[in-house]
Amino acid sequence: MRLPSTPFLLLVPALLAGLLAAPPASAVTATTVATARPTTTAATATATATATTPQVTETWVGPRLLDLTWYSANVGTTVQVRLLLPKSWKRSTTRTWPAVFALQGGRDDYTSWTRETDIEGLAARWDVMVVMPTGGVNGSYTDWWNDGEGGTPRWETFHTVELMNLLKQRYHAGTKRAVIGASSGGQGAMSYAGRHPGMFRYAASFSGSTHLTKDGMQAFLVTVNLLGFGTDAFRIFGLPGRDDANWRAHDPYHLAPRLRGVGLYVSSGTTGLNGPYTPPGGQWRLTQLSEILIGQMNHSFVARLKALGIPVTTHIYGNGWHAWPEWIPELGKAWPLMMKAIDAKGTPA
């Protein structure tokens, strides 16, 4: 396994230390939401604050925002999922709604999409459900390898089986789905779409790691996780080299042939330098140089898709941070493409 042959390696120690610090600042201010039950259509059909399934606790955190909490045996801990429900949603119905799954970055949480973006405003104009599940701290959107023994945490099984079943049974989520993700969530979006054919009609990745086994990338990703988890980092995908088959099985680049028929959107920067969306007064940090490697992976992934004749919408920009200010406009560009793919209907203003 070769390391990147660029001067960037000289900066890796400082970059990795920064990656374990606070997440990148956003241009969007976080807001506090009320916890009282709303009186909108989405909530009036709810008789109690607890879901019909006893182990699932519901908490309304906004007019159409519903947080779910329960213990997942697949993950081995308590999990949270935030639902953004359409205006027409009600519990007592036989109809279903198309759904967008929004996956968090590795060091963020399930509230990130409503905290950092105007996904509520985007979704309000469409008769669509948005599902924002926890992905754990660097859960990596996989059932952890655990030296080939399996076991918890099984993040992929949680997202693609356990959560899917709950949403279908209790919240009327339909089978017309799209998936989006930022940072490692982008890797998850592409990996899930490739590993589960037919599950998603559209997949969008914003600065995702889309070629995990590209030269040097395993070393970079494992080192980041080693600093955060110690030797537990090798539990995720396994040891590079020895367990490369498992790495490839979750690598969007190697899954590319299975993405045929899925609408695709891929974006990332290539320099990590200040760009057009850098917030005024924003403090540049060395960690932003991680976008150099992200850009290399996405160039490779997009080239692979094009070589296979698989259509993809791309925006590989130059300067820009590995941060929400860059991903917010990408969400706005990808959103109408997703709505078309999942046959979502517009709603009156």
Side-chain angles (χ1 to χ4, degrees), residues 74-305:
N74 282 305
V75 180
T77 190
T78 299
V79 295
Q80 298 83 27
V81 176
R82 174 162 289 183
L83 300 183
L84 176 54
L85 299 168
K87 296 174 184 177
S88 61
W89 185 88
K90 56 183 178 180
R91 199 180 300 275
S92 56
T93 184
T94 57
R95 68 160 292 190
T96 60
W97 282 264
V100 173
F101 288 73
L103 306 182
Q104 67 171 74
R107 295 176 50 254
D108 217 316
D109 61 38
Y110 72 103
T111 69
S112 59
W113 287 93
T114 52
R115 185 187 70 235
E116 304 287 355
T117 79
D118 187 31
I119 199 167
E120 291 183 70
L122 286 172
R125 299 191 288 272
W126 299 87
D127 200 25
V128 66
M129 176 186 301
V130 181
V131 182
M132 296 161 277
T134 183
V137 178
N138 287 341
S140 300
Y141 298 96
T142 182
D143 291 355
W144 281 24
W145 181 244
N146 289 327
D147 203 31
E149 298 297 323
T152 59
R154 293 182 289 267
W155 285 108
E156 184 172 4
T157 299
F158 165 66
H159 289 133
T160 62
V161 179
E162 181 179 346
L163 176 58
M164 290 290 183
N165 288 338
L166 177 70
L167 294 172
K168 177 182 178 181
Q169 295 167 6
R170 303 294 179 184
Y171 300 98
H172 307 294
T175 58
K176 297 177 180 180
R177 311 181 188 98
V179 59
I180 59 176
S183 191
S184 67
Q187 171 250 317
M190 292 298 168
S191 175
Y192 284 177
R195 286 174 57 81
H196 302 275
M199 181 170 285
F200 298 104
R201 294 186 173 194
Y202 204 95
S205 168
F206 312 141
S207 293
S209 298
T210 53
H211 192 173
L212 301 178
T213 57
K214 182 176 171 60
D215 287 349
M217 300 308 167
Q218 289 169 291
F220 174 71
L221 295 169
V222 166
T223 304
V224 170
N225 287 330
L226 278 170
L227 292 176
F229 296 126
T231 56
D232 277 357
F234 296 113
R235 294 174 54 208
I236 302 175
F237 293 113
L239 285 169
R242 187 193 71 181
D243 299 317
D244 275 358
N246 190 54
W247 280 81
R248 288 192 297 269
H250 296 84
D251 187 343
Y253 178 90
H254 289 283
L255 291 167
R258 302 180 68 175
L259 291 170
R260 193 177 303 277
V262 179
L264 301 172
Y265 187 99
V266 176
S267 70
S268 79
T270 58
T271 69
L273 300 177
N274 288 0
Y277 298 107
T278 301
Q283 183 178 1
W284 185 87
R285 298 183 303 167
L286 193 59
T287 56
Q288 300 304 341
L289 291 180
S290 62
E291 196 73 355
I292 294 175
L293 299 186
I294 296 294
Q296 291 176 11
M297 283 190 271
N298 280 286
H299 269 305
S300 178
F301 178 55
V302 169
R304 169 80 163 147
L305 292 170

